[in-house]
């Protein structure tokens, strides 16, 4: 099948790169999702839920995100700025919304599913330097907009629908080239192949006792000013929207009343696909594209998940001891994966977010952990708070509380074992500076001349980590073997430092074994303490692959261990 609907071609002579609308037979339809009124309305979630709803009607979907900031990718941004960085299978550092897409649709995102203004401009400027534009004055329109259209339509597998979310809020200066590009695409594809969905907010004003509709037509006016007439409005509201208000919005915004869909607050995010269906969204989308909509979509999977989330049979408490506690979006996939572990075990997972620095400052801080049924130390960067994490790993090991270390959390558990059990008091990670015993370090530090991995302390910060999916070989008979029921697995990575294989024997003598290794046997990927009820550290990020309808086995097993622990406490 054709990989793209459109192709760039280099026209001979002085005209340079020209976007040409080339129909190559695929019937992929494009749904563009914009947002207005205020930010943080949950456009990513809305896009993901619409994707799930279309899948429930038997369609193949792909979700994409256009981000208007100038960073080439979000990899160098602080989690406080942009939340979690979502690493794709093919090793791209992308926007966290791609996590929602994957969790709702199960479709693995690719590098080509997220593009930023920074990447678009880098591409255009590189082409200009290369001479590709051959004498042309390089401009936002058409060169930047052409590059955007190229990204939106490239690397497809003839999906039925591509859902393309535009980051930011209409009216932002920086999203203008993106809006212009999707306007052009809508025009070139025609309404039979394109649709514009706009997410807005109906605020409730308590003193008036009313839901206010006015911001919605204002936001649509902004869209119209760049030439986009939305086909469907998705209206966030904390209470049901009266029909009269929906009629009013339809009238002012030039859409049919049936195309004003309520997006009401729901008890769990996994209810959103069902809620959109109840609002008539899938029928409206099908109608727009002239598709059959007489049969009911198969939403059984979502009904089942919602029931398990809302009617658990018990509860466990998990302490998450990390660094970015002021913005929990930094741990979005992690929180979801823990909830999925709860779904698998029919329990509610109550999370207590603890800043690891607390365990450095307060002598008695460990009492924060006395009542929890499991401890998770997630990924992180930099030295701040690490002594606290090490203290927490020690507590979990000695008190036999289930411990799950992810990436940094694994590295801290290894340092703890080295210091307190293997007689290496100076053990540390070279991430924090020179150390006598780098039990965690850059691979080049102990494997000079290795040609496979080129990372050193002078490397650039952007895109220099071990990123994306890597194979891991599991030790037969280990606890993780029983959890995965497999000897070869693939998981996603995002880190610079590695546990140092040279300490394997000394650590093993203390009871901490390397139960997962890279295929070449050089990189420890999983550690565990067989004599402990549940103590596992993984160098990768399993939370990125967990789905509500397919909870990740490590999270299922961790929560099961927490349930067992809750019977003891
Ligand atoms: N800072 C550590 C490293 O780079 C761990 C990174 C992480 O937890 N994702 O290796």
């Amino acid at each position: 099948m054709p990989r793209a609907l459109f192709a760039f071609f280099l026209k001979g002579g002085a005209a340079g790169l020209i976007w040409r609308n080339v129909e190559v037979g695929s019937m992929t339809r494009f749904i563009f999702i914009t947002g207005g009124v205020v930010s943080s309305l949950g456009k990513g979630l809305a896009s993901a839920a619409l994707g799930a709803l279309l899948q429930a009607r038997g369609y193949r979907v792909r979700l994409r995100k256009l981000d208007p900031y100038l960073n080439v990718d979000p990899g160098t941004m602080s989690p406080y700025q942009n939340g979690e960085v979502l690493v794709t299978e093919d090793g791209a550092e992308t926007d966290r919304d791609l996590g929602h897409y994957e969790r709702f649709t199960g479709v693995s995102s690719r590098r080509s599913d997220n593009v930023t203004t920074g990447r678009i401009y880098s591409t255009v400027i590189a082409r200009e330097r290369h001479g590709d534009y051959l004498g042309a004055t390089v401009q936002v329109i058409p060169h930047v907009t052409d590059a955007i259209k190229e990204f939106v339509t490239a690397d497809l597998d003839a999906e039925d629908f591509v859902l393309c979310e535009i980051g930011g809020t209409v009216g932002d200066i920086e999203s203008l080239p993106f809006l212009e590009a999707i306007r052009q695409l809508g025009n070139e594809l025609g309404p039979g192949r394109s649709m514009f969905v706009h997410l807005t907010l109906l605020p409730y004003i308590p003193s008036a006792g009313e839901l206010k509709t006015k911001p919605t037509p204002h936001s649509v006016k902004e869209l119209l000013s760049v030439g986009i007439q939305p086909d469907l409005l998705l209206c966030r509201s904390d209470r049901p929207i009266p029909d009269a208000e929906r009629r009013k919005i339809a009238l002012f915004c030039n859409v049919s009343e049936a195309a004003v869909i309520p997006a009401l607050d729901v008890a769990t995010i996994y209810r959103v696909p069902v809620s959109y269906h109840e609002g008539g969204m899938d029928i409206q989308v099908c109608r727009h594209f002239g598709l059959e909509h007489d049969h009911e979509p198969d939403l059984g999977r979502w009904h089942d998940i919602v029931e398990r989330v809302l009617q658990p049979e018990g509860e466990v408490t998990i302490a998450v001891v990390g660094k970015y506690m002021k913005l929990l979006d930094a741990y979005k996939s992690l929180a979801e994966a823990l909830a999925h572990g709860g779904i698998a075990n029919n329990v509610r997972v109550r999370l207590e977010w603890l800043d690891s620095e607390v365990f450095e400052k307060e002598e008695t801080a460990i009492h924060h952990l006395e009542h929890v049924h499991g401890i998770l130390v997630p990924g992180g960067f930099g030295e701040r708070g690490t002594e606290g994490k090490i203290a927490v790993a020690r507590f979990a090991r000695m008190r036999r509380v289930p411990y799950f270390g992810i990436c940094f959390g694994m590295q801290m558990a290894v340092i703890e074992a080295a210091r307190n059990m293997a007689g290496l008091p100076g053990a540390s990670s070279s991430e924090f500076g020179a150390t006598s015993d780098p039990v965690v370090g850059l691979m080049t530090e102990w494997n000079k001349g290795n040609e496979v991995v080129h990372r050193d302390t002078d490397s650039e910060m952007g895109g220099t980590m071990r990123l994306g999916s890597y194979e891991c070989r599991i030790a037969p008979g280990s606890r993780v073997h029983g959890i995965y029921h497999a000897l070869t697995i693939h998981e996603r990575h995002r880190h610079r430092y590695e546990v140092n294989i040279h300490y394997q024997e000394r650590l093993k003598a203390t009871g901490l074994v390397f139960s997962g290794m890279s295929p070449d046997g050089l990189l420890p990927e999983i550690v565990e303490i067989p004599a402990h009820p549940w103590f596992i550290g993984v160098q990768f990020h399993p939370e990125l692959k967990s789905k509500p309808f397919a909870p990740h086995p490590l999270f299922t097993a961790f929560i099961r261990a927490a349930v067992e622990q809750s019977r003891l406490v």
Side-chain angles (χ1 to χ4, degrees):
M1 292 303 282
R3 301 276 289 180
L5 295 170
F6 294 90
F8 261 90
F9 77 114
L10 194 60
K11 212 175 155 199
L17 271 177
I18 304 283
W19 167 263
R20 191 170 60 154
N21 181 345
V22 183
E23 191 73 41
V24 283
S26 161
M27 261 312 288
T28 303
R29 303 160 189 88
F30 290 81
I31 302 179
F32 300 104
I33 297 127
T34 55
V37 182
V38 291
S39 59
S40 305
L41 285 181
K43 238 184 311 133
L45 194 60
S47 308
L50 176 57
L53 194 46
L54 291 168
Q55 277 185 328
R57 286 196 165 271
Y59 294 112
R60 289 181 60 224
V61 301
R62 175 155 290 281
L63 285 101
R64 305 204 134 158
K65 171 119 197 251
L66 308 179
D67 275 310
Y69 47 76
L70 277 162
N71 302 58
V72 171
D73 65 43
T76 53
M77 267 193 248
S78 154
Y80 286 131
Q81 293 281 318
N82 200 49
E84 164 186 73
V85 172
L86 195 286
V87 179
T88 58
E89 290 285 301
D90 59 0
E93 295 179 281
T94 67
D95 188 80
R96 67 188 190 287
D97 277 336
L98 275 72
H100 286 309
Y101 304 166
E102 294 198 359
R103 280 188 289 278
F104 275 81
T105 66
V107 177
S108 272
S109 296
R110 300 195 283 239
R111 182 179 297 275
S112 54
D113 292 326
N114 186 204
V115 73
T116 67
T117 299
R119 202 154 122 226
I120 295 282
Y121 273 82
S122 310
T123 307
V124 171
I125 290 168
R127 283 176 181 167
E128 187 275 331
R129 293 289 82 188
H130 192 245
D132 291 351
Y133 297 110
L134 295 171
T137 303
V138 183
Q139 295 177 297
V140 173
I141 305 170
H143 302 99
V144 169
T145 46
D146 279 357
I148 296 170
K149 290 195 284 185
E150 185 186 9
F151 269 107
V152 171
T153 55
D155 195 26
L156 295 175
D157 296 323
E159 287 86 354
D160 299 304
F161 288 97
V162 171
L163 279 65
C164 181
E165 176 192 347
I166 291 84
T169 310
V170 288
D172 294 348
I173 289 175
E174 54 250 40
S175 50
L176 278 176
F178 287 120
L179 295 177
E180 169 60 15
I182 62 167
R183 180 197 68 76
Q184 292 176 17
L185 264 180
N187 187 37
E188 289 163 18
L189 291 161
R193 300 267 307 280
S194 66
M195 179 174 190
F196 292 95
V197 171
H198 190 54
L199 181 66
T200 73
L201 172 72
L202 269 59
Y204 179 76
I205 308 293
S207 56
E210 276 178 3
L211 274 177
K212 290 295 179 190
T213 56
K214 188 81 28 112
T216 296
H218 276 298
S219 179
V220 168
K221 209 164 129 190
E222 283 285 347
L223 260 188
L224 284 168
S225 73
V226 294
I228 296 173
Q229 163 68 53
D231 301 301
L232 185 145
L233 296 171
L234 197 49
C235 301
R236 285 296 306 270
S237 166
D238 67 354
R239 62 203 66 216
I241 306 171
D243 284 347
E245 305 305 309
R246 286 182 51 222
R247 264 197 296 278
K248 212 156 99 186
I249 293 170
L251 183 70
F252 282 115
C253 299
N254 206 23
V255 297
S256 73
E257 196 186 323
V260 181
I261 310 285
L264 305 183
D265 292 355
V266 282
T268 155
I269 55 168
Y270 297 122
R271 204 182 173 282
V272 179
V274 174
S275 161
Y276 284 0
H277 172 63
E278 287 165 358
M281 182 150 187
D282 47 328
I283 291 185
Q284 209 47 40
V285 171
C286 289
R287 252 190 221 149
H288 173 92
F289 289 110
L291 297 167
E292 170 283 318
H293 48 81
D294 293 335
H295 75 283
E296 279 290 298
D298 180 8
L299 289 165
R301 158 197 275 194
W302 297 106
H303 286 296
D304 181 45
I305 291 166
V306 169
E307 191 177 307
R308 280 165 174 264
V309 171
L310 298 184
Q311 268 143 30
E313 286 163 9
E315 180 177 279
V316 292
T317 303
I318 303 293
V320 182
V321 185
K323 183 169 166 186
Y324 311 109
M325 294 306 163
K326 285 191 212 96
L327 184 76
L328 296 182
D329 256 4
Y331 299 112
K332 189 70 199 157
S333 296
L334 185 71
E336 292 306 315
L338 284 162
H340 303 163
I343 291 173
N345 287 285
N346 271 322
V347 291
R348 192 173 98 86
V349 179
R350 210 167 68 78
L351 300 181
E352 288 191 5
W353 302 92
L354 300 170
D355 188 328
S356 62
E357 278 186 302
V358 169
F359 298 94
E360 295 168 7
K361 289 180 190 144
E362 292 173 28
E363 287 252 309
T364 55
I366 231 68
H367 77 264
H368 292 300
L369 301 174
E370 297 284 355
H371 63 288
V372 304
H373 309 124
I375 297 173
L376 192 150
V377 176
F381 292 84
E383 191 171 11
R384 183 167 67 77
T386 49
E387 290 304 322
K389 291 178 190 176
I390 291 168
V392 165
R394 180 180 160 87
F395 172 89
R397 175 174 63 76
M398 295 183 64
R399 297 282 285 270
R400 301 176 66 77
V401 179
Y403 177 88
F404 195 0
I406 293 184
C407 205
F408 210 45
M410 168 206 190
Q411 297 175 355
M412 295 305 110
V414 171
I415 292 172
E416 192 279 313
R419 281 188 192 171
N420 300 319
M421 295 201 292
L424 301 166
S428 185
S429 167
S430 52
E431 182 172 357
F432 319 139
T435 160
S436 56
D437 277 303
V439 293
V440 178
L442 286 175
M443 220 189 126
T444 46
E445 285 169 334
W446 70 86
N447 211 330
K448 290 261 186 303
N450 181 294
E451 293 194 1
V452 187
V453 180
H454 298 281
R455 282 175 292 165
D456 57 49
T457 39
D458 296 328
S459 291
E460 276 190 83
M461 288 300 266
T464 54
M465 287 189 269
R466 180 145 79 106
L467 288 167
S469 183
Y470 283 83
E471 183 178 322
C472 165
R473 303 265 167 87
I474 284 183
S478 60
R479 174 169 283 138
V480 280
H481 182 200
I483 290 172
Y484 277 98
H485 302 297
L487 290 173
T488 301
I489 56 162
H490 292 84
E491 294 281 3
R492 295 187 204 169
H493 291 248
R494 182 177 187 248
H495 54 100
R496 270 188 198 91
Y497 298 86
E498 310 278 355
V499 171
N500 190 336
I501 179 83
H502 289 168
Y503 292 90
Q504 181 167 21
E505 290 311 316
R506 287 192 74 156
L507 288 165
K508 191 173 170 189
T510 72
L512 182 128
V513 300
F514 295 178
S515 54
M517 299 294 295
S518 58
D520 61 7
L522 291 177
L523 304 173
E525 309 281 38
I526 308 177
V527 301
E528 59 184 70
I529 300 180
H532 187 283
W534 208 96
F535 194 104
I536 293 177
V538 294
Q539 187 59 78
F540 43 80
H541 289 276
E543 71 274 23
L544 300 179
K545 285 177 81 166
S546 189
K547 320 269 187 305
F549 45 83
H552 191 288
L554 282 172
F555 283 90
T556 301
F558 177 55
I559 298 301
R560 189 177 309 127
V563 170
E564 271 152 38
Q565 180 74 9
S566 72
R567 298 198 178 114
L568 302 176
V569 178

